[in-house]
Amino acid sequence: MDFNIALLKGDGIGPEIVDSAVAVLDKAGAKYGHAFHYTAYLMGGCAYDATGNPLPEETVKGCLASDSVLLGAVGGPKWDTLPGHLRPEKALLGIRSALGLFTNIRPAKLYKALKAECPLRPDLVENGFDLMMIRELTGGIYFGERGRREGKYGPEAYDTECYSEMEVERIARVAFNSARKRRKKVISIDKANVLESSRLWREVIHRVAQEYPDVECSDMLVDNAAMQLVKNPAQFDVVVTSNMFGDILSDESSQITGSIGMLPSASLGEGSRGMYEPIHGSAPDIAGQNKANPIATILSAAMMCRFSLEIPEVADDIEKAVDEVLNAGWRTADIVGSTGVTPISCTEMTEKILAAL
Ligand code: IPM
Ligand code: MG
């Protein structure tokens, strides 16, 4: 089959890691007779520099016309002083919203080969962990009403968290359906002891749960969840939570896998088109130095093959190749950890994975 893929390389290490993923996709796909046709579009700081707009209209159109989107990362200190609506991050929120990508799937599992890199006490992760965080992506405080005003103590600013029943219901269904394909356990995370929006969240989750009697469902307060993730991560199977809590907890869950450089993500809507990106940022400190870990982006490409393109055999092969290379002891700088091995570069890691394919 032939697939049209929009590439949003973005800023910082974005171009390097996307190039790696493209090479891996091409080789893995070719084995099964699939061809990928790529069109690159500008998004983020690079788009602002070139056009004055971090999310040009052409980029949105190109993504909408594609079968799927592969994204590197956006942002960097160069654009940190721009007003909110021109920041690279705003483009990321804009494209998620324009493509209707309300689901963000962030799996976090402990690779056997990286066990020693997990910062948790060894006895806490003896049996590993494998969780799937499902983050609501186009609602909540990220998209709520915000502004500045004159308040009781002078000038103040506000952002609002708002969830509709519809938004909670559709993300709940994604979580329960995903759990059915896994260990049949959903933990919904909220702050229902304080926030009205969380109380509605919890009500709707419980209502949807009744349609899935085969899936165990429980609630956890977000502060407790932050603690449980570093105390007993194996208790989690599918986690479902709001945009903001999911942003924070997915970084925490990535860190206990050893490195944020390992974690892929998928953003999905109603149709088959998705946007796939590593959960890490643009790492401006190592940009252009060929030091970045391309694995998170390569695994994101694998997720794209599984969730959007429906060629799971390609996804399996890519994931197997990554596993093999890690088991053979190859490490980029971020995952050297206690092994003491000499790190390999981004392109060398890519070569190793290509060879394993
Ligand atoms: C993420 C990032 C983004 C977010 C930023 C860059 C806007 O942290 O994808 O987790 O907060 O969603
Ligand atoms: Mg984040």
Side-chain angles (χ1 to χ4, degrees), residues 89 92-93 96 106 135 142 243 247 250-251 277 279:
E89 292 82 356
L92 187 53
L93 303 187
R96 287 171 180 169
R106 299 188 162 183
R135 167 189 179 195
Y142 273 59
N243 205 342
D247 176 46
S250 61
D251 271 27
E277 57 178 303
I279 90 153

Side-chain angles (χ1 to χ4, degrees), residues 137-166:
L137 201 62
T138 50
I141 199 164
Y142 273 59
F143 292 89
E145 199 188 317
R146 76 187 76 233
R148 303 261 177 142
R149 64 190 170 200
E150 220 22 58
K152 198 164 139 202
Y153 305 107
E156 62 181 25
Y158 63 97
D159 301 89
T160 43
E161 171 90 348
C162 175
Y163 268 112
S164 63
E165 293 192 12
M166 182 280 283

Side-chain angles (χ1 to χ4, degrees), residues 15 42 52 177 214 234 247 258 266 295 338:
L42 292 174
N177 287 327
D214 52 320
D247 176 46
I295 292 179
S338 54

